[in-house]
Amino acid sequence: MRRGRHEAPYDDPRHALADEAEGYLLAHLHRDRARREAEELCARMPWLTTAQAEELTGHYVRRRLDVTRQLLHGTVRRAEELRQEYESRYAALRHALLRRHAACACALLACAGAVSALAVLLIR
């Protein structure tokens, strides 16, 4: 994972291969973990035949991967929603800050103009 970077990782095509490899490795990690859990479950049921244990293991792994996929899709969807909310809030804050700076600059210029005009009047 890339931490501490300022650019958005989903906008940079240079990282696409690294992201794909990371996803591949994570998928295999989840599958291996699910298989290990299924084998532990089958080991606690000594009455299962080998075929039944393999069928149960396959079913457990498929179901577990489906659940993991649904959770990941939900997480990605929520991350996108949050990103959009934060980007819109950031844009609104930037706009408000720009407005305030512009108002301050105008006030400063008006004060400078008034002081200049007052100085001209006092000099005459």
Side-chain angles (χ1 to χ4, degrees):
M1 294 196 163
R2 294 172 305 277
R3 290 194 167 106
R5 295 192 182 227
H6 295 289
E7 77 270 0
Y10 46 82
D11 290 340
D12 194 353
R14 295 176 298 169
H15 299 295
L17 182 60
D19 290 343
E20 189 173 332
E22 182 181 16
Y24 177 81
L25 293 173
L26 283 172
H28 278 280
L29 175 72
H30 283 287
R31 188 195 55 170
D32 292 342
R33 189 176 296 153
R35 181 167 294 287
R36 194 169 43 253
E37 289 174 6
E39 289 169 354
E40 289 172 4
L41 176 66
C42 290
R44 286 182 276 176
M45 296 185 229
W47 61 86
L48 293 176
T49 65
T50 304
Q52 290 172 329
E54 288 175 1
E55 183 179 341
L56 180 61
T57 299
H59 177 72
Y60 182 87
V61 168
R62 282 189 304 277
R63 182 66 186 132
R64 175 78 185 278
L65 291 178
D66 288 342
V67 169
T68 301
R69 189 175 297 113
Q70 290 171 356
L71 289 173
L72 288 174
H73 283 301
T75 302
V76 167
R77 192 171 31 257
R78 181 64 180 143
E80 180 63 26
E81 290 171 2
L82 287 174
R83 185 178 70 82
Q84 289 174 354
E85 288 175 23
Y86 286 131
E87 283 180 355
S88 65
R89 180 67 178 145
Y90 177 74
L93 289 173
R94 259 183 49 195
H95 183 68
L97 185 63
L98 179 62
R99 252 193 348 246
R100 288 181 187 141
H101 278 93
C104 287
C106 289
L108 185 63
L109 285 173
C111 287
V115 167
S116 156
L118 184 61
V120 168
L121 288 175
L122 289 177
I123 291 177
R124 287 188 201 189

